[in-house]
Amino acid sequence: MNSYNIAVIGGDGTGPEVVREAIKVLDAAARKFSIRLDYTHFDFGGDRYLRTREVLPDSAVAELRQFPAILLGAIGHPDVKPGILEKGILLRLRFELEQYINLRPVKLYDQRFCPLRDKGPQDIDFVVVRENNEGLYTGVGGFVFKGTPNEVAVQESVNTRRGIERCLRFAFDLARKRRGGAPWPGLKSDDVAAGRKAQLTLCGKTNVLTYAFDLWERAFHQIGQKNYPDIKRDYAHVDATTMWFVKNPEWFDVIVTDNLFGDIITDLGAMIQGGMGIAAGGNINPTGTSMFEPIGGSAPKYTGLGVINPLAAICAGQMMLDFLGETEAAGAIEKAVIRTVVEKIKSLAAGKMGYSTSQVGDLVAAAL
Ligand code: IPM
Ligand code: MN
């Protein structure tokens, strides 16, 4: 029997509530597919910080490195100044565990949840590969003359050839897999049957960011030409990308982009797939410890009410199993989510699902 030790960080706000449901569904899948999952819970987050003034103990990263995967609820607390927990926990783990890919599938399961007129599940099914260790997120920069009328703030985007190349290769590989290679991640048999073309879109801003995206673009075409001639290369500026998400989302297959652009376009992506209630992502280190999370925040105003939608966390659990190589179990969770969403759920929004948080977990577990 395959067994996995999973680190769990419920985190802030509604994080622990949604993670509980994800574990409920993971356990149901584990029973069905004879997998063993053991969980170790960590209490990192705003409450611990307010109690101890410690964001992440120094031993934490080394400890988490021992796990193949981390399941994360949410980070962000209304009583803690923005940036402290996000940078101190989420970004620190992404960086120190070298989770250099942030993988965000954008897939619509039911037309009812799409805010775009005339778009359905056949139109919205793509994946964003967001670079997750560099760009404007590294914290390079600083102030001069802070607090005076002459103050200057500089925040620089870091783009390394190595960081860009490993991200591009991951994205090209994914585009290839979606068409028909090994079934991870995100391969959809319908795509294969439909003969859907493997296409990788580089989302950038080559018309203004003429250093950073010049490097991205050159690496993109060099690697693509040499190693991935079977993948169609496509380019879109980031502003145009947001327009296409709304106008022609069916254009996209796999999109690769830098850290900040990826952050921004995936919130829009989440909206066209039905909202934060369903959007999941994985912070991937292909050879190390990866971390899976619902991409929405900690939703403090809903905390403890049992109204938050756990489907995004459940889908994060599904991505985790997929990544661990348990593709069959992961596929079964996705099917159970689709069935639940199509047959039962009234709305994906908090408080409007027609069921409580734990009932939605029960429904998915039962559908399994
Ligand atoms: C996300 C979040 C984070 C990010 C924040 C909380 C730092 O918005 O995961 O997309 O910007 O990456
Ligand atoms: Mn974000």
Side-chain angles (χ1 to χ4, degrees):
M1 187 189 279
N2 292 340
S3 85
Y4 305 95
N5 291 320
I6 308 297
V8 179
I9 305 174
D12 299 317
T14 52
E17 298 167 47
V18 295
V19 159
R20 202 173 303 133
E21 301 314 311
I23 289 176
K24 185 188 282 176
V25 172
L26 284 168
D27 284 342
R31 277 194 299 279
K32 184 163 176 185
F33 292 92
S34 304
I35 305 164
R36 182 175 164 154
L37 297 171
D38 291 300
Y39 307 96
T40 306
H41 291 263
F42 294 86
D43 68 349
F44 311 136
D47 287 330
R48 180 191 164 116
Y49 170 71
L50 292 171
R51 225 170 41 238
T52 65
R53 291 288 144 185
E54 185 176 57
V55 185
L56 206 59
D58 280 331
S59 58
V61 177
E63 218 176 319
L64 289 169
R65 223 184 270 286
Q66 307 306 312
F67 295 84
I70 304 168
L71 187 60
L72 173 73
I75 295 294
H77 195 292
D79 301 336
V80 181
K81 193 175 156 220
I84 294 179
L85 301 170
E86 293 85 343
K87 285 174 107 169
I89 301 177
L90 191 62
L91 298 187
R92 189 165 164 216
L93 292 178
R94 286 177 182 172
F95 289 173
E96 290 196 21
L97 296 173
E98 262 196 84
Q99 296 163 341
Y100 61 84
I101 298 296
N102 194 323
L103 190 64
R104 297 191 164 177
V106 176
K107 188 168 180 189
L108 175 67
Y109 288 134
D110 190 325
Q111 171 126 42
R112 287 182 296 141
F113 305 129
C114 184
L116 306 179
R117 204 195 324 128
D118 304 334
K119 298 294 176 191
Q122 70 285 359
D123 302 307
I124 299 176
D125 181 6
F126 59 88
V127 184
V128 178
V129 175
R130 163 184 173 189
E131 200 293 321
N132 211 31
N133 279 180
E134 302 193 341
L136 278 157
Y137 275 66
T138 58
V140 172
F143 291 109
V144 192
F145 310 125
K146 188 176 178 187
T148 75
N150 298 330
E151 68 183 330
V152 180
V154 175
Q155 191 114 34
E156 288 181 306
S157 176
V158 175
N159 297 266
T160 69
R161 181 85 198 197
R162 169 177 168 269
I164 289 171
E165 279 202 10
R166 64 185 180 180
C167 181
L168 289 170
R169 286 184 197 283
F170 185 96
F172 274 118
D173 284 336
L174 178 58
R176 195 176 266 169
K177 280 171 190 158
R178 268 171 70 89
R179 186 172 55 171
W184 187 85
L187 172 68
K188 301 298 173 285
S189 49
D190 324 349
D191 295 343
V192 181
R196 205 165 118 156
K197 197 161 192 172
Q199 170 181 266
L200 180 62
T201 302
L202 171 65
C203 163
K205 191 71 187 171
T206 52
N207 52 349
V208 176
L209 305 181
T210 51
Y211 308 124
F213 280 99
D214 184 77
L215 178 51
W216 274 90
E217 200 179 31
R218 277 184 288 119
F220 179 61
H221 290 299
Q222 281 166 9
I223 293 172
Q225 207 163 33
K226 183 152 184 274
N227 302 113
Y228 302 91
D230 50 323
I231 310 295
K232 182 178 157 224
R233 272 168 278 139
D234 174 49
Y235 173 82
H237 293 320
V238 62
D239 48 350
T241 302
T242 62
M243 178 183 76
W244 293 120
F245 272 21
V246 173
K247 198 166 178 283
N248 289 102
E250 65 277 8
W251 174 257
F252 296 107
D253 181 7
V254 179
I255 299 172
V256 63
T257 190
D258 82 350
N259 209 337
L260 184 65
F261 290 169
D263 177 48
I264 296 167
I265 67 173
T266 53
D267 265 26
L268 181 56
M271 285 304 122
I272 64 172
Q273 75 180 122
M276 289 302 179
I278 192 85
N283 302 274
I284 311 278
N285 175 340
T287 57
T289 303
S290 296
M291 180 165 73
F292 300 85
E293 52 174 341
I295 80 170
S298 57
K301 70 175 178 183
Y302 295 123
T303 304
L305 302 179
V307 298
I308 195 81
N309 187 345
L311 287 169
I314 291 169
C315 292
Q318 170 215 322
M319 288 182 75
M320 181 178 81
L321 283 186
D322 212 353
F323 167 77
L324 291 170
E326 298 296 339
T327 47
E328 219 189 326
I333 294 181
E334 184 179 28
K335 282 209 185 74
V337 166
I338 294 175
R339 244 185 90 182
T340 305
V341 156
V342 171
E343 292 175 11
K344 311 271 184 188
I345 303 289
K346 287 207 187 75
S347 156
L348 296 175
K352 296 183 181 150
M353 301 181 290
Y355 298 92
S356 71
T357 303
S358 79
Q359 282 173 329
V360 173
D362 292 340
L363 286 170
V364 179
L368 255 176

